[in-house]
Amino acid sequence: MEPRGTHQRHRWGPCGFLATLVIAGFLGAPDIQGAASEKKVRWRLVFEDQFSGAALDRRRWRIEDTAPNKNNELEYYALDEVFVSNGCLVLRSRRREYGGREFTSGLVDTRGRVEVAFGRFEVRARLPGGQGIWPAIWMLPAGGEWPPEIDIVELLGDRPRTVHMTVHWGHWPRVLSDGGQYSGPDFTSDFHVFRLDWLPGKVVWYVDGVPRFESSQFVPQRPMYLIINTAVGGDWPGEPDDTTAFPVMHLVDYVRVYMPEEAERSYLMLSAANGWVDVSPFRFVFSKDERVRLKAVPEIGYRFCGWSGDLAGGENPATVGMQSNRVIRARFEKDPQGPILLSRGAKVRASSVEAEGLESRNAVDGDLQTRWSSSFSDRQWIIVDLGRVRRVSDLKLVWERAHADCYEILASVDGKQWRRIRRVVGSRGGTERFRNLDQRARFIKLSCFKRATQWGYSLWELGIYGKPE
Ligand SMILES: [Ca+2]
């Protein structure tokens, strides 16, 4: 756990994210403030998919397979609603009972594959229409946190001539937005090109080559991945009705991602899975004479196995000269000697449960879509019983937005005598890891004292790791 407010180390990676990035995002690094002159930028194509193959290239795209719990949406994102046909990516939405939902639909993203800080994103698509249909082409941070978010285009199916373009930022629950809309042709009857130029200081949205909105109020400065989906129902569009003509098709002709190239500065683009990279100084834009230090940090149970892209070898940390743009991937592999997850399916009890479906066992089921939530008061606890005394080496907390501000972690061999192994004050939630604990324990207790939100305490997962025995 990093102490609150430290700015010495900064992390980036799909699995780990330090909250100080939010501060960096708010203030902006002073040396990269100010909009770049677009004339000075040359755009280099770094990713393209024309969907000309027989099937979707799974090395480039991840397909969602879940019932999302947001915005009161009604769809299940099913694998079979995503396919390639006639040179297009197709996301199909249907009225179909599946996975506890009334509708199925499609979502693809480039998470863990293409994660870019700054760039040009161009998507040619025919958006789907109809009451209750909500297509979106948008971006989220590779670190898994929210906000920020950039919405390249969103449309409500019952208003097919109006597209929405938005950037969200802030810190939950105080989320701020800057957005615009453009009304033009029927975007559901033909293909149109939606483009986003994202540079330090300014984000500009284009529709069919014409700038339609721009924002410099908040410009994200961290790698983000691209998402294309069609939501069905939910708070914003409302439910489909008899006029909605299922099946509904969201067609994407191509996706192109460009990286900016400039005379005076260089861009750093990082990607990683099963670990992350500490970047120092923490920025993604550098002058040509600067050097950056990269430290690969593996997720619990993984080990670093080398760099690829514009950095070779396995030196860690490594130093890179930024005389030109760098695209670098940190590679991690499962550590056969590493700790294993001991807590999955363990016995667990808690001081309270907010409601049915939010029971304490959800915190140890190994599923990041199920969670425990307490009632809405400050003093709460959850205890995991590993069944017998184990050597506990690592602990990982994956908080929902309702997290603890102040809490302790305690260990016990008998469930009666407890010893405190960590105390955290001023937690920012998200994912918190505690390493090298070296504890003999059968019971691990999380004792919460102060809530960070008006709600209770909620954990997607409480992972306890140790040596196999
Ligand atoms: Ca869970």
Side-chain angles (χ1 to χ4, degrees):
M1 175 63 198
E2 305 285 333
R4 184 176 190 165
T6 179
H7 285 253
Q8 259 124 66
R9 290 172 66 229
H10 298 279
R11 291 176 169 177
W12 172 78
C15 303
F17 191 83
L18 187 65
T20 46
L21 282 187
V22 174
I23 303 292
F26 266 126
L27 303 177
D31 48 340
I32 59 168
Q33 282 291 299
S37 159
E38 281 102 272
K39 288 201 182 74
K40 285 200 292 187
V41 179
R42 283 179 45 234
W43 296 99
R44 181 163 68 92
L45 186 66
V46 293
F47 173 88
E48 180 174 30
D49 200 335
Q50 309 212 44
F51 306 107
S52 48
L56 188 66
D57 184 348
R58 299 289 287 267
R59 290 167 306 177
R60 296 163 176 226
W61 298 96
R62 195 187 67 87
I63 306 177
E64 186 89 317
D65 180 11
T66 192
N69 288 311
K70 55 184 183 186
N71 309 313
N72 293 312
E73 292 166 21
L74 303 175
E75 77 284 348
Y76 187 101
Y77 285 120
L79 298 174
D80 64 357
E81 299 294 31
V82 176
F83 49 93
V84 165
S85 174
N86 293 324
C88 283
L89 165 67
V90 184
L91 307 177
R92 180 176 57 195
S93 308
R94 289 185 284 176
R95 187 184 288 278
R96 174 169 66 138
E97 300 265 340
Y98 189 91
R101 296 287 169 93
E102 237 181 293
F103 300 90
T104 51
S105 189
L107 182 150
V108 294
D109 67 49
T110 64
R111 189 169 191 182
R113 292 151 168 88
V114 180
E115 295 166 337
V116 176
F118 309 112
R120 167 174 288 177
F121 304 82
E122 195 174 82
V123 181
R124 184 169 185 265
R126 197 189 85 189
L127 304 176
Q131 167 58 38
I133 302 299
W134 178 11
I137 300 169
W138 53 303
M139 304 179 78
L140 283 175
E145 74 285 8
W146 185 85
E149 171 184 324
I150 301 177
D151 303 321
I152 300 173
V153 62
E154 289 181 288
L155 175 140
L156 297 178
D158 62 329
R159 277 168 268 168
R161 294 178 181 276
T162 301
V163 289
H164 301 261
M165 303 155 280
T166 316
V167 57
H168 302 276
W169 72 95
H171 199 67
W172 178 264
R174 198 170 153 266
V175 177
L176 306 169
S177 300
D178 188 19
Q181 58 183 59
Y182 164 67
S183 293
D186 180 346
F187 292 99
T188 68
S189 67
D190 205 348
F191 285 87
H192 295 273
V193 178
F194 304 99
R195 189 177 113 202
L196 182 87
D197 284 5
W198 169 22
L199 285 167
K202 192 159 81 171
V203 186
V204 186
W205 285 254
Y206 293 80
V207 178
D208 295 321
V210 181
R212 296 294 180 184
F213 181 62
E214 67 173 61
S215 177
S216 51
Q217 282 202 51
F218 175 82
V219 178
Q221 298 182 25
R222 65 192 72 179
M224 297 175 90
Y225 60 92
L226 189 67
I227 308 158
I228 305 176
N229 72 298
T230 306
V232 180
D235 299 330
W236 198 25
E239 292 193 19
D241 61 20
D242 293 345
T243 67
T244 313
F246 288 104
V248 164
M249 304 292 192
H250 186 166
L251 304 180
V252 180
D253 179 26
Y254 65 75
V255 174
R256 292 179 186 142
V257 180
Y258 301 81
M259 196 168 157
E261 284 188 343
E262 298 176 49
E264 280 98 41
R265 52 189 187 179
S266 304
Y267 289 77
L268 174 65
M269 287 173 43
L270 289 170
S271 61
N274 303 313
W276 61 90
V277 182
D278 284 347
V279 181
S280 174
F282 174 68
R283 277 186 271 124
F284 296 98
V285 186
F286 296 85
S287 60
K288 302 270 178 183
D289 57 354
E290 283 188 284
R291 297 176 75 76
V292 60
R293 181 177 176 274
L294 304 178
K295 187 176 179 219
V297 184
E299 180 56 280
I300 297 165
Y302 287 81
R303 63 185 180 191
F304 176 61
C305 59
W307 305 99
S308 61
D310 294 329
L311 178 59
E315 197 186 343
N316 189 31
T319 303
V320 180
M322 291 301 298
Q323 55 270 30
S324 61
N325 287 341
R326 303 294 184 193
V327 182
I328 295 170
R329 181 168 184 84
R331 292 180 294 116
F332 299 93
E333 64 187 7
K334 199 119 192 135
D335 181 356
Q337 262 78 56
I340 60 163
L341 182 63
L342 304 175
S343 53
R344 181 175 301 184
K347 271 194 281 178
V348 59
R349 57 202 169 89
S351 53
S352 66
V353 169
E354 180 197 333
E356 199 179 327
L358 298 171
E359 289 83 8
S360 56
R361 64 170 181 274
N362 290 346
V364 293
D365 61 359
D367 182 351
L368 283 171
Q369 317 244 356
T370 60
R371 62 189 174 97
W372 163 63
S373 183
S374 77
S375 59
F376 300 176
S377 65
D378 273 330
R379 293 217 162 236
Q380 304 286 344
W381 51 261
I382 182 168
I383 295 175
V384 181
D385 176 359
L386 299 173
R388 59 192 166 89
V389 175
R390 308 292 299 257
R391 290 211 88 85
V392 173
S393 62
D394 302 84
L395 215 128
K396 182 160 90 173
L397 304 179
V398 185
W399 293 101
E400 204 251 345
R401 284 162 197 158
H403 68 91
D405 179 86
C406 175
Y407 64 94
E408 290 180 353
I409 300 164
L410 304 106
S412 172
V413 291
D414 59 8
K416 298 184 186 100
Q417 298 273 88
W418 294 93
R419 57 185 185 280
R420 188 170 86 191
I421 55 178
R422 287 289 189 279
R423 180 178 172 81
V424 176
V425 177
S427 165
R428 288 178 178 270
T431 299
E432 298 182 299
R433 293 172 185 77
F434 303 88
R435 305 216 186 209
N436 305 312
L437 297 172
D438 195 24
Q439 297 286 326
R440 287 184 71 249
R442 173 175 165 180
F443 300 91
I444 294 287
K445 179 177 183 178
L446 191 70
S447 200
C448 302
F449 301 109
K450 188 168 164 241
R451 291 169 294 154
T453 69
Q454 71 203 74
W455 300 288
Y457 301 99
S458 185
L459 283 166
W460 293 108
E461 279 297 297
L462 193 176
I464 302 168
Y465 298 80
K467 293 278 175 205
E469 278 166 31

